[in-house]
Amino acid sequence: MLILHGENLVASRKRLKEEIDNFRLKFKGEVIKFAGNQVDLTQIKQAVESSSLFGQNRLIVIENLFSSSPSTEKQKIVGYLKQNLPKNLLIWEKRKMDNRVLAHFKAQVFQFDLTPIIFRFLDSLAPNNQKFSLSLLHQCFDQDAPEIVFYMLGRQIRLLIIAADLGENGLIEIPEWKRKKLISQAKEFSLTKLLQLYRQLLKIDWQQKTGQTPFDLASQLDLFIASL
């Protein structure tokens, strides 16, 4: 069993893809993927215990099992995995898992963390603070890929939009200390400005994916922060 988890989704997704590609290259086997919030115990058992139709090796991938909403079915699946520890199972989580949960599994575990400078950069976002934010942005680029910074920036703007529009009611799943920081930071912007910034990020994403810009992602993020 292999578990990949942590907030650095770019790095963990890359590792997930590498594991799947290596499996297919080495074993030429079947890869079965499940979403943690949709799968049931019967499906997991059938995938783990039954043979492939053509006698191939099989890799089962479950995404976001532990970060899905609590349910009786989820408890059954976790209990089954604790008892059986399937060797041909890979679990990918979009968040950092609790070490107390991980202790129940004799698995290879890889944690993908974000560098602290990214959080300093995100907290710095505010009108009339562009110079400081740009300095932190460049420090981020020294340690992490622009794609990681872009993803985290998009997530931060989304959370600020929710904070500006709904307040604490929209951030129930966020820890209290972070809710307060987001609500305070959101007050630095108007809701209209935050929506405008999010549309700019969507445009940057589209331009990068379609080659509709002469600038690389780092340069576009420079321009984006300067526009705050």
Side-chain angles (χ1 to χ4, degrees):
M1 183 186 294
L2 178 65
I3 299 176
L4 310 177
H5 71 114
E7 292 188 312
N8 191 332
L9 300 187
V10 174
S12 66
R13 274 290 183 190
K14 181 181 178 182
R15 178 60 184 269
L16 174 61
K17 183 179 183 303
E18 289 173 351
E19 291 291 337
I20 292 174
D21 288 347
N22 288 340
F23 173 81
R24 285 174 170 155
L25 181 65
K26 184 176 181 180
F27 297 105
K28 303 187 186 304
E30 180 183 13
V31 177
I32 302 175
K33 295 182 180 180
F34 294 112
N37 62 343
Q38 297 175 359
V39 68
D40 59 40
L41 179 58
T42 300
Q43 290 174 300
I44 296 295
K45 280 186 173 181
Q46 288 177 344
V48 170
E49 298 173 8
S50 64
S51 300
S52 169
L53 182 62
F54 301 103
Q56 295 174 306
N57 290 296
R58 176 179 285 174
L59 176 67
I60 297 96
V61 178
I62 308 177
E63 296 192 7
N64 298 314
L65 173 65
F66 294 94
S67 53
S68 62
S69 300
S71 68
T72 303
E73 196 64 33
K74 175 179 172 179
Q75 291 177 349
K76 291 179 181 178
I77 293 172
V78 172
Y80 170 78
L81 297 180
K82 284 180 182 178
Q83 291 181 346
N84 293 274
L85 299 172
K87 292 182 179 180
N88 59 336
L89 179 69
L90 192 161
I91 296 176
W92 180 89
E93 291 291 327
K94 63 182 178 181
R95 298 173 185 164
K96 180 180 178 180
M97 290 179 61
D98 191 317
N99 287 331
R100 291 171 295 183
V101 175
L102 289 170
H104 292 287
F105 298 92
K106 292 181 180 179
Q108 282 187 291
V109 178
F110 294 91
Q111 181 175 320
F112 299 85
D113 293 323
L114 292 164
T115 52
I117 191 65
I118 288 184
F119 298 104
R120 287 188 60 201
F121 162 66
L122 297 174
D123 289 342
S124 77
L125 300 177
N128 303 316
N129 198 36
Q130 295 95 329
K131 186 175 180 179
F132 183 56
S133 294
L134 282 169
S135 174
L136 293 175
L137 176 64
H138 295 160
Q139 292 179 52
C140 289
F141 291 154
D142 289 337
Q143 301 185 49
D144 292 299
E147 289 77 13
I148 294 174
V149 181
F150 179 77
Y151 170 80
M152 293 300 295
L153 181 59
R155 186 174 77 166
Q156 186 77 359
I157 298 298
R158 285 197 302 273
L159 290 173
L160 290 175
I161 289 172
I162 294 171
D165 189 32
L166 301 175
E168 290 201 26
N169 291 333
L171 302 169
I172 295 175
E173 295 186 2
I174 304 295
E176 183 180 359
W177 65 270
K178 190 170 183 179
R179 287 202 302 266
K180 291 180 178 179
K181 287 180 70 173
L182 287 166
I183 290 171
S184 176
Q185 188 178 11
K187 291 177 181 177
E188 300 287 335
F189 302 88
S190 67
L191 180 58
T192 300
K193 177 65 174 179
L194 288 169
L195 290 170
Q196 177 190 346
L197 292 173
Y198 193 66
R199 284 192 290 268
Q200 284 181 246
L201 289 175
L202 291 176
K203 183 177 180 180
I204 290 172
D205 187 43
W206 175 79
Q207 289 176 329
Q208 288 293 319
K209 289 178 178 177
T210 58
Q212 299 296 312
T213 175
F215 302 106
D216 61 18
L217 181 56
S219 298
Q220 284 199 287
L221 290 178
D222 261 348
L223 295 170
F224 175 83
I225 296 303
S227 74
L228 293 178

